[in-house]
Amino acid sequence: MQVLAALCFLVLAHLPPLRGEVVGSFQDIPECLDFFYEGKVPEWGAATPGAARLCQRFKNSYHFATLYDTLHRIAVYSAYRFQTSDGGGREKRWFVEPQLVDLSLGAEMRDGYWLGQDNPGVYLGERQALNEDYTHSGFDRGHLNPNGHHPVPSRNATFTLTNVVPQNPKLNQNAWRMYESQLTDLFNVQCSQAYVLVGAIPSADNWIVKNNVKRVNIPDYIWNAYCCLDNNGQPTHSGGATARNTEQNHVDRRTLSELEEFLSQYQSPVGELFLNNCGA
């Protein structure tokens, strides 16, 4: 029996670790690094208090990566590779990340309603936003990684509340939507591959409040950065944008250098958003 126990211990000790969606480092899951150009994870946001690193998993596959601010309950950024959409329908559910509640609840994003039904007495919203936080708030559930930049099932995976922020409806449905559409045209025509980062800059003290509790921070700005590659995997061009999260409904296009300078006003170090600034 002692020999059998020793053998079992040796086998278990050499098994690979269980790979969940919430990770200590994006490098813990090689597939997660695929969403960053040349596997370089930006320094931006790494020191965010309460940050959680999410390899967004849906239908047993990874679809993008998110650095999530569990204190403000919004994403710092989502990182993804652009994919031409196949025109699939919009997801009708909103997912949450079970492992932000309890590591034993599984690695896949889950429908928040059914996860709550299956786990009575467990509060899902301690470290993340819930669907009801946005209800009657006056703000859209604004995708950072846009669903229109993916085919199904990656498109479905973007409908997780860890990938959205409270976005002014006028901005979300007009200028920012048009900017995302322009990027779609750019990436389809001029890029063999495109790596994208989309993030938010939290406000000092502007929140969605529910029952006198500050639930979800309303960001001051939304920002975007992209790096385009040719058929040989060489960078060809890059760019970015920022937008105030107000009814101003205006997007300012920026170079990567201009964007990094802009971000440096809010947190440092910024560092490179893409390896070698996407060949600049």
Side-chain angles (χ1 to χ4, degrees), residues 162-177:
T162 54
N163 177 52
V164 304
V165 300
Q167 196 166 5
N168 182 281
K170 190 172 183 179
L171 174 67
N172 185 42
Q173 298 171 30
N174 293 280
W176 194 256
R177 179 188 59 80

Side-chain angles (χ1 to χ4, degrees), residues 66-135:
T66 299
L67 183 65
Y68 190 72
D69 181 346
T70 62
L71 301 183
H72 289 102
R73 300 186 183 90
I74 59 174
V76 178
Y77 65 74
S78 284
Y80 66 95
R81 288 181 302 177
F82 172 80
Q83 302 166 285
T84 301
S85 175
D86 57 4
R90 289 174 59 90
E91 179 63 65
K92 295 180 179 180
R93 300 166 293 175
W94 285 100
F95 302 114
V96 295
E97 173 45 59
Q99 291 196 335
L100 287 176
V101 183
D102 186 330
L103 290 175
S104 70
L105 291 181
E108 293 250 344
M109 60 179 70
R110 290 278 304 279
D111 181 321
Y113 175 79
W114 289 111
L115 184 63
Q117 294 291 307
D118 293 343
N119 297 274
V122 174
Y123 179 50
L124 303 178
E126 182 177 351
R127 303 180 70 224
Q128 63 191 305
L130 301 177
N131 195 32
E132 53 261 37
D133 290 326
Y134 285 86
T135 303

Side-chain angles (χ1 to χ4, degrees), residues 199-276:
I201 297 174
S203 60
D205 195 25
N206 191 14
W207 295 75
I208 292 176
V209 177
K210 295 287 183 177
N211 299 319
N212 296 317
V213 175
K214 293 179 179 178
R215 283 293 303 158
V216 187
N217 186 270
I218 301 166
D220 281 339
Y221 283 92
I222 313 296
W223 61 269
N224 162 285
Y226 63 86
C227 176
C228 279
L229 311 180
D230 62 18
N231 289 326
N232 297 315
Q234 297 301 307
T236 57
H237 53 282
S238 61
T242 60
R244 282 190 62 84
N245 190 25
T246 67
E247 290 192 357
Q248 288 183 6
N249 191 35
H250 177 72
V251 174
D252 292 309
R253 291 183 177 256
R254 301 177 185 269
T255 65
L256 285 185
S257 296
E258 291 170 343
L259 177 59
E260 289 163 3
E261 183 177 354
F262 174 85
L263 294 176
S264 70
Q265 302 174 70
Y266 301 94
Q267 192 177 122
S268 63
V270 176
E272 294 178 339
L273 297 176
F274 301 106
L275 181 68
N276 296 327

Side-chain angles (χ1 to χ4, degrees), residues 1-15:
M1 181 65 70
Q2 289 180 336
V3 173
L4 180 60
L7 288 172
C8 289
F9 173 80
L10 288 173
V11 170
L12 291 172
H14 288 85
L15 286 175

